[in-house]
Amino acid sequence: MSPVLVIGAGIAGASVAYFLSELGVRATVIDAGIHAASSVPSALINPVRGQSGGVDARALEGMELTWALLRKLSEGGFKVPHGQTGVLRPIPDDRARARFERNLPPELAHRWLRRDDLSVPLAPAWAHALWLPEGGWVDGAAFVGALLEASEAQVIRGRAWRWTAHSVEVRGAAGSSPLSSTFQAVIHCGGSIGSGWAGESRTHRMGSLLTLDRPAAEFPLSFGAYLAPSATGGVLGATYESPAQTWQEPTLPLASLGWLLGKGEALTDLSGVGVTGRWTGSRLSGLKIGQDAGGVWHLSGLSSKGFLLGPLLARELAGQVALSLAEPPAGGRSHTPSQAR
Ligand SMILES: Cc1cc2nc3c(=O)[nH]c(=O)nc-3n(C[C@H](O)[C@H](O)[C@H](O)COP(=O)(O)OP(=O)(O)OC[C@H]3O[C@@H](n4cnc5c(N)ncnc54)[C@H](O)[C@@H]3O)c2cc1C
């Protein structure tokens, strides 16, 4: 039997399983297979976030690891649509530019472009354009699928209903009887839906992507919403619904559709681009990583940085879990609890 159980197979759980396998620890992954934010058709790898231009202290490290992983998976024969194409951040005015400039660490490759340098037509309302040559996009579901396969973890489709530091009760398809197992460690990577199922009070935010028959540009454009290439054309998306303290069924209100289209049109000319479908998901904020007082390990709350920081944080957590398995049990416990934060 695998010593470790991972609950949830999004980018967090799949990355944890992958890095555990690199450390010689086999994992079993249980995944309900629904409402994974990580199945986003095209996620940005964008080190300069949102409209504030904030740069996470670990953004560069995270971005480098994500691209390195994608290269390794490609060399291993896995097909994960992605592109390290660069990301363009149109900036509305001088104040916003000053804010972005204050946040940009000198070691992050970037360039302020003049309008004449741009290969896509930006609306006149944009005063500046920041080019991030090391950014890009990735197909979320394909990335997660490749990590899981490469980890050689046993994957069980079903829902973990109850768990402790060493045991879990699983239910598969409706009507199937519960299955109980014991493990040396249990890691909860349930994302937004999993946090809701676990009864936690945390911040959830819903958003939608319209899938497009072609990309609006060869690289992502992002401010307020994003346009990006994808495996089957392109996307226009954002996470923009009001934050909620509980998980909510993903929906796309008509008013939000109008808002999203407006944001897309404001980024660049979308004439001739067709909509082929939509994808809606919910992401969870408030990073939780480490072991809780009950001994259960956690990696969740990756917010809008799941693909930027998820693999990096998963590698660190996998290292801690592997170390705890190697430690002799002290005082009847097999783990030294470090508070989940
Ligand atoms: C509209 C939108 C756009 C986004 N764009 C970007 C972007 O451009 N760049 C970026 O980096 N991030 C982006 N994100 C955020 C990113 O998608 C998330 O940070 C990331 O996918 C979260 O991964 P996760 O593994 O924590 O959770 P999830 O991907 O949600 O996976 C959790 C999985 O666990 C399963 N699960 C939960 N509980 C249980 C249980 N008890 N038993 C069994 N299975 C369970 C669920 O069914 C699910 O499959 C976006 C999110 C949204 C909603």
Side-chain angles (χ1 to χ4, degrees):
M1 189 217 293
S2 312
V4 175
L5 178 82
V6 179
I7 300 171
I11 188 66
S15 302
V16 168
Y18 177 86
F19 287 113
L20 281 173
S21 85
E22 286 219 319
L23 295 169
V25 179
R26 285 207 46 222
T28 295
V29 179
I30 166 112
D31 186 56
I34 50 170
H35 302 306
S38 304
S39 60
V40 58
S42 180
L44 301 193
I45 310 296
N46 174 17
V48 180
R49 311 298 310 165
Q51 300 186 28
S52 64
V55 180
D56 190 281
R58 311 203 61 194
L60 270 96
E61 212 186 334
M63 183 165 66
E64 276 168 21
L65 179 63
T66 295
W67 292 130
L69 258 184
L70 284 163
R71 277 193 298 276
K72 196 166 171 193
L73 290 169
S74 298
E75 283 160 19
F78 294 97
K79 301 227 174 320
V80 184
H82 69 279
Q84 194 174 8
T85 50
V87 169
L88 187 70
R89 306 290 323 265
I91 309 291
D93 51 42
D94 294 352
R95 267 185 67 192
R97 174 170 172 158
R99 201 168 58 234
F100 271 63
E101 278 177 338
R102 272 197 303 276
N103 289 330
L104 282 167
E107 61 276 21
L108 174 66
H110 66 275
R111 206 150 43 100
W112 290 96
L113 298 183
R114 288 175 314 163
R115 198 163 280 277
D116 298 350
D117 300 329
L118 297 172
S119 58
V120 285
L122 279 190
W126 299 105
H128 305 285
L130 175 64
W131 178 242
L132 301 162
E134 290 170 356
W137 64 276
V138 63
D139 182 306
F143 192 12
V144 166
L147 284 169
L148 265 189
E149 205 180 324
S151 77
E152 296 183 359
Q154 182 195 5
V155 181
I156 299 172
R157 288 291 163 207
R159 177 172 161 188
W161 283 78
R162 271 195 288 265
W163 57 90
T164 67
H166 302 292
S167 68
V168 64
E169 186 187 311
V170 171
R171 286 192 202 166
S176 67
S177 48
L179 191 124
S180 295
S181 294
T182 55
F183 296 89
Q184 281 175 263
V186 170
I187 310 174
H188 187 257
C189 301
S192 181
I193 181 72
S195 168
W197 284 339
E200 298 173 342
S201 174
R202 294 172 71 187
T203 306
H204 306 251
R205 200 142 191 199
M206 212 188 306
S208 292
L209 269 66
L210 297 178
T211 52
L212 309 174
D213 59 0
R214 64 182 176 84
E218 287 162 15
F219 44 80
L221 292 159
S222 165
F223 195 92
Y226 66 91
L227 284 157
S230 74
T232 54
V235 298
L236 163 61
T239 312
Y240 48 83
E241 304 296 353
S242 304
Q245 289 311 109
T246 52
W247 181 85
Q248 323 227 318
E249 192 68 39
T251 55
L252 173 56
L254 203 52
S256 301
L257 180 60
W259 178 92
L260 186 57
L261 287 170
K263 287 281 178 191
E265 290 284 357
L267 282 169
T268 192
D269 179 14
L270 293 178
S271 48
V273 178
V275 175
T276 55
R278 68 117 173 169
W279 175 91
T280 299
S282 171
R283 64 167 163 79
L284 181 71
S285 303
L287 181 65
K288 188 170 178 181
I289 180 165
Q291 197 175 21
D292 67 24
V296 176
W297 296 88
H298 297 264
L299 177 55
S300 65
L302 295 172
S303 189
S304 59
K305 295 177 272 199
F307 294 88
L308 184 72
L309 296 183
L312 178 71
L313 297 173
R315 186 173 68 177
E316 289 176 2
L317 189 75
Q320 290 174 30
V321 172
L323 197 65
S324 78
L325 299 180
E327 280 171 4
R333 288 188 66 102
S334 56
H335 306 297
T336 309
S338 71
Q339 206 56 39
R341 58 187 154 89

PDB file of all heavy atoms in Angstrom, residues 5-21:
ATOM      1  N   LEU A   5      -1.536   9.372   1.388  1.00  0.00           N
ATOM      2  CA  LEU A   5      -2.762   9.646   0.646  1.00  0.00           C
ATOM      3  C   LEU A   5      -2.849  11.137   0.367  1.00  0.00           C
ATOM      4  O   LEU A   5      -2.698  11.955   1.275  1.00  0.00           O
ATOM      5  CB  LEU A   5      -4.002   9.239   1.445  1.00  0.00           C
ATOM      6  CG  LEU A   5      -5.292   9.574   0.677  1.00  0.00           C
ATOM      7  CD1 LEU A   5      -5.616   8.497  -0.336  1.00  0.00           C
ATOM      8  CD2 LEU A   5      -6.462   9.789   1.599  1.00  0.00           C
ATOM      9  N   VAL A   6      -3.085  11.479  -0.902  1.00  0.00           N
ATOM     10  CA  VAL A   6      -3.298  12.878  -1.282  1.00  0.00           C
ATOM     11  C   VAL A   6      -4.772  13.040  -1.641  1.00  0.00           C
ATOM     12  O   VAL A   6      -5.276  12.304  -2.495  1.00  0.00           O
ATOM     13  CB  VAL A   6      -2.407  13.270  -2.486  1.00  0.00           C
ATOM     14  CG1 VAL A   6      -2.660  14.720  -2.887  1.00  0.00           C
ATOM     15  CG2 VAL A   6      -0.930  13.051  -2.175  1.00  0.00           C
ATOM     16  N   ILE A   7      -5.453  13.956  -0.984  1.00  0.00           N
ATOM     17  CA  ILE A   7      -6.868  14.227  -1.309  1.00  0.00           C
ATOM     18  C   ILE A   7      -6.907  15.411  -2.263  1.00  0.00           C
ATOM     19  O   ILE A   7      -6.514  16.524  -1.905  1.00  0.00           O
ATOM     20  CB  ILE A   7      -7.681  14.550  -0.037  1.00  0.00           C
ATOM     21  CG1 ILE A   7      -7.628  13.377   0.949  1.00  0.00           C
ATOM     22  CG2 ILE A   7      -9.130  14.883  -0.390  1.00  0.00           C
ATOM     23  CD1 ILE A   7      -8.233  13.698   2.321  1.00  0.00           C
ATOM     24  N   GLY A   8      -7.346  15.157  -3.502  1.00  0.00           N
ATOM     25  CA  GLY A   8      -7.460  16.229  -4.498  1.00  0.00           C
ATOM     26  C   GLY A   8      -6.367  16.145  -5.541  1.00  0.00           C
ATOM     27  O   GLY A   8      -5.187  16.062  -5.207  1.00  0.00           O
ATOM     28  N   ALA A   9      -6.788  16.143  -6.800  1.00  0.00           N
ATOM     29  CA  ALA A   9      -5.825  16.048  -7.908  1.00  0.00           C
ATOM     30  C   ALA A   9      -5.912  17.277  -8.795  1.00  0.00           C
ATOM     31  O   ALA A   9      -6.087  17.183 -10.002  1.00  0.00           O
ATOM     32  CB  ALA A   9      -6.054  14.783  -8.727  1.00  0.00           C
ATOM     33  N   GLY A  10      -5.790  18.456  -8.189  1.00  0.00           N
ATOM     34  CA  GLY A  10      -5.588  19.678  -8.970  1.00  0.00           C
ATOM     35  C   GLY A  10      -4.084  19.881  -9.092  1.00  0.00           C
ATOM     36  O   GLY A  10      -3.298  18.954  -8.866  1.00  0.00           O
ATOM     37  N   ILE A  11      -3.675  21.115  -9.395  1.00  0.00           N
ATOM     38  CA  ILE A  11      -2.235  21.370  -9.546  1.00  0.00           C
ATOM     39  C   ILE A  11      -1.519  21.139  -8.212  1.00  0.00           C
ATOM     40  O   ILE A  11      -0.371  20.658  -8.189  1.00  0.00           O
ATOM     41  CB  ILE A  11      -1.958  22.789 -10.119  1.00  0.00           C
ATOM     42  CG1 ILE A  11      -0.485  22.974 -10.446  1.00  0.00           C
ATOM     43  CG2 ILE A  11      -2.428  23.893  -9.192  1.00  0.00           C
ATOM     44  CD1 ILE A  11       0.047  22.113 -11.549  1.00  0.00           C
ATOM     45  N   ALA A  12      -2.202  21.403  -7.074  1.00  0.00           N
ATOM     46  CA  ALA A  12      -1.558  21.191  -5.771  1.00  0.00           C
ATOM     47  C   ALA A  12      -1.327  19.700  -5.532  1.00  0.00           C
ATOM     48  O   ALA A  12      -0.186  19.258  -5.308  1.00  0.00           O
ATOM     49  CB  ALA A  12      -2.413  21.796  -4.656  1.00  0.00           C
ATOM     50  N   GLY A  13      -2.399  18.913  -5.589  1.00  0.00           N
ATOM     51  CA  GLY A  13      -2.284  17.482  -5.281  1.00  0.00           C
ATOM     52  C   GLY A  13      -1.412  16.733  -6.279  1.00  0.00           C
ATOM     53  O   GLY A  13      -0.591  15.885  -5.904  1.00  0.00           O
ATOM     54  N   ALA A  14      -1.568  17.043  -7.582  1.00  0.00           N
ATOM     55  CA  ALA A  14      -0.779  16.350  -8.608  1.00  0.00           C
ATOM     56  C   ALA A  14       0.708  16.681  -8.441  1.00  0.00           C
ATOM     57  O   ALA A  14       1.579  15.813  -8.605  1.00  0.00           O
ATOM     58  CB  ALA A  14      -1.267  16.743 -10.002  1.00  0.00           C
ATOM     59  N   SER A  15       1.014  17.943  -8.102  1.00  0.00           N
ATOM     60  CA  SER A  15       2.424  18.324  -7.914  1.00  0.00           C
ATOM     61  C   SER A  15       3.003  17.654  -6.668  1.00  0.00           C
ATOM     62  O   SER A  15       4.152  17.212  -6.672  1.00  0.00           O
ATOM     63  CB  SER A  15       2.572  19.846  -7.769  1.00  0.00           C
ATOM     64  OG  SER A  15       2.052  20.514  -8.882  1.00  0.00           O
ATOM     65  N   VAL A  16       2.208  17.577  -5.605  1.00  0.00           N
ATOM     66  CA  VAL A  16       2.687  16.900  -4.389  1.00  0.00           C
ATOM     67  C   VAL A  16       2.997  15.433  -4.713  1.00  0.00           C
ATOM     68  O   VAL A  16       4.063  14.916  -4.349  1.00  0.00           O
ATOM     69  CB  VAL A  16       1.647  17.010  -3.242  1.00  0.00           C
ATOM     70  CG1 VAL A  16       2.015  16.068  -2.107  1.00  0.00           C
ATOM     71  CG2 VAL A  16       1.570  18.434  -2.714  1.00  0.00           C
ATOM     72  N   ALA A  17       2.078  14.767  -5.422  1.00  0.00           N
ATOM     73  CA  ALA A  17       2.304  13.349  -5.772  1.00  0.00           C
ATOM     74  C   ALA A  17       3.568  13.218  -6.624  1.00  0.00           C
ATOM     75  O   ALA A  17       4.380  12.301  -6.435  1.00  0.00           O
ATOM     76  CB  ALA A  17       1.086  12.807  -6.523  1.00  0.00           C
ATOM     77  N   TYR A  18       3.768  14.151  -7.556  1.00  0.00           N
ATOM     78  CA  TYR A  18       4.935  14.112  -8.447  1.00  0.00           C
ATOM     79  C   TYR A  18       6.231  14.249  -7.637  1.00  0.00           C
ATOM     80  O   TYR A  18       7.173  13.467  -7.807  1.00  0.00           O
ATOM     81  CB  TYR A  18       4.819  15.242  -9.483  1.00  0.00           C
ATOM     82  CG  TYR A  18       6.001  15.329 -10.409  1.00  0.00           C
ATOM     83  CD1 TYR A  18       6.057  14.566 -11.563  1.00  0.00           C
ATOM     84  CD2 TYR A  18       7.077  16.173 -10.105  1.00  0.00           C
ATOM     85  CE1 TYR A  18       7.153  14.633 -12.405  1.00  0.00           C
ATOM     86  CE2 TYR A  18       8.179  16.243 -10.940  1.00  0.00           C
ATOM     87  CZ  TYR A  18       8.212  15.477 -12.090  1.00  0.00           C
ATOM     88  OH  TYR A  18       9.303  15.537 -12.911  1.00  0.00           O
ATOM     89  N   PHE A  19       6.275  15.227  -6.756  1.00  0.00           N
ATOM     90  CA  PHE A  19       7.532  15.453  -6.020  1.00  0.00           C
ATOM     91  C   PHE A  19       7.755  14.379  -4.958  1.00  0.00           C
ATOM     92  O   PHE A  19       8.902  14.055  -4.647  1.00  0.00           O
ATOM     93  CB  PHE A  19       7.565  16.867  -5.434  1.00  0.00           C
ATOM     94  CG  PHE A  19       7.794  17.907  -6.502  1.00  0.00           C
ATOM     95  CD1 PHE A  19       6.819  18.823  -6.829  1.00  0.00           C
ATOM     96  CD2 PHE A  19       8.989  17.934  -7.213  1.00  0.00           C
ATOM     97  CE1 PHE A  19       7.020  19.761  -7.842  1.00  0.00           C
ATOM     98  CE2 PHE A  19       9.207  18.871  -8.217  1.00  0.00           C
ATOM     99  CZ  PHE A  19       8.220  19.780  -8.535  1.00  0.00           C
ATOM    100  N   LEU A  20       6.666  13.806  -4.413  1.00  0.00           N
ATOM    101  CA  LEU A  20       6.851  12.665  -3.505  1.00  0.00           C
ATOM    102  C   LEU A  20       7.505  11.515  -4.264  1.00  0.00           C
ATOM    103  O   LEU A  20       8.427  10.873  -3.765  1.00  0.00           O
ATOM    104  CB  LEU A  20       5.497  12.213  -2.939  1.00  0.00           C
ATOM    105  CG  LEU A  20       4.935  13.049  -1.786  1.00  0.00           C
ATOM    106  CD1 LEU A  20       3.517  12.604  -1.447  1.00  0.00           C
ATOM    107  CD2 LEU A  20       5.825  12.950  -0.535  1.00  0.00           C
ATOM    108  N   SER A  21       7.036  11.261  -5.493  1.00  0.00           N
ATOM    109  CA  SER A  21       7.604  10.138  -6.260  1.00  0.00           C
ATOM    110  C   SER A  21       9.075  10.407  -6.568  1.00  0.00           C
ATOM    111  O   SER A  21       9.895   9.490  -6.566  1.00  0.00           O
ATOM    112  CB  SER A  21       6.798   9.860  -7.528  1.00  0.00           C
ATOM    113  OG  SER A  21       7.219  10.693  -8.572  1.00  0.00           O
TER     114      SER A  21
END
